Amino acid sequence: MTADARAGGRLRVGLGAAIREFVREPINLALILALPPVVIASYESVLSAFPRLPYMTTDPEALGATAGTLFVAAFLPGVIGLFQVISAQRADERLSLAGFSTPVLFASRLAAVCLAAVVTAALSLAVLATSTEVEALALGFLTLAFVGGLYGLVGMLIGTVLPRELEGSLALIFVVDVDEALASGVMATDAAATKLFPLHYPHQVFRAAVDGRAPDLVDLVAAGTYGLVVLATTFFVYTVLAGTGGETG
């Protein structure tokens, strides 16, 4: 058996273990099914009470629907990425002793997160389409799946650096909340620092998909570059800290 075949087999084993671990908890499946409609409807309802302020480029109710969709698409895979790393720490250590390399373990965790991102994107877009006409469904789906994968990596990064469930969850919630508030246009800010948050460029692309406009090439390239940087950073940190419980000493 070639090295590539062995690595592929181990990747399938790792992915299968991650999926089984996830579906064994009914609360996980309930969250994926229930959270999209609840969050999107809540965002839409809350922002519909807002007046349309001068700096807003779209109706507050429609803004709430898209903001809630992006929040769900980011938050659920982010939480899954976080707990994939934290809960599987001991299992990964045993797999390492069995010959599983760190890149294969990382890839299996990331594959599970990407699967969750695709499922969440499809559900979120379906919920959004019940109240808002999405002109470019394919682009909208791809953007939401990208957002899910991106925040899945952020969750994995937080889980590696801060391998504690409560503290890691609070850190993730804080990042997603601030990111969505800044990217959605609910808050008026031109600060350059807002472009450093993960949702800034994907939000522009998703708005273009909803409106049926061609997305700005700069936004597409910037989002892709951002994703590659987060992927490389998460992989590096995971490789350095894997099996140490987030401590190098």
Side-chain angles (χ1 to χ4, degrees):
M1 184 181 292
T2 66
D4 287 345
R6 286 196 298 272
R10 287 170 177 168
L11 178 59
R12 287 192 295 273
V13 170
L15 176 59
I19 293 174
R20 286 192 298 274
E21 181 183 353
F22 179 80
V23 299
R24 271 199 295 261
E25 296 292 338
I27 187 64
N28 293 335
L29 299 177
L31 280 174
I32 282 188
L33 294 174
L35 211 57
V38 170
V39 171
I40 293 171
S42 297
Y43 265 71
E44 192 173 8
S45 175
V46 169
L47 286 182
S48 66
F50 269 55
R52 181 163 181 170
L53 300 174
Y55 61 81
M56 290 183 174
T57 58
T58 188
D59 180 75
E61 186 173 356
L63 187 152
T66 55
T69 303
L70 280 158
F71 178 88
V72 170
F75 179 69
L76 277 177
V79 168
I80 292 170
L82 175 74
F83 284 95
Q84 276 282 305
V85 172
I86 294 176
S87 64
Q89 208 171 78
R90 292 181 180 176
D92 283 357
E93 289 172 1
R94 291 194 293 270
L95 289 173
S96 294
L97 293 174
F100 283 67
S101 67
T102 299
V104 168
L105 291 174
F106 178 84
S108 66
R109 300 302 172 197
L110 180 59
V113 165
C114 289
L115 179 60
V118 169
V119 172
T120 305
L123 291 173
S124 301
L125 191 62
V127 173
L128 176 66
T130 62
S131 62
T132 302
E133 185 175 357
V134 181
E135 298 291 344
L137 285 171
L139 178 60
F141 171 75
L142 289 174
T143 305
L144 292 177
F146 173 80
V147 164
L150 182 61
Y151 255 98
L153 285 168
V154 172
M156 292 176 68
L157 179 60
I158 293 174
T160 304
V161 175
L162 188 62
R164 298 176 181 84
E165 294 180 356
L166 177 59
E167 293 88 338
S169 299
L170 291 175
L172 179 64
I173 291 170
F174 175 78
V175 173
V176 180
D177 276 340
V178 172
D179 191 3
E180 179 53 42
L182 293 174
S184 65
V186 174
M187 299 172 60
T189 176
D190 294 323
T194 60
K195 297 181 180 181
L196 299 177
F197 282 87
L199 287 181
H200 177 80
Y201 296 107
H203 212 291
Q204 305 303 316
V205 177
F206 189 67
R207 279 292 341 159
V210 172
D211 297 339
R213 296 180 284 104
D216 194 320
L217 181 60
V218 173
D219 292 330
L220 291 172
V221 172
T225 303
Y226 196 108
L228 290 174
V229 170
V230 173
L231 173 61
T233 301
T234 305
F235 177 72
F236 173 76
V237 174
Y238 182 90
T239 301
V240 172
L241 300 183
T244 67
E247 299 171 1
T248 57

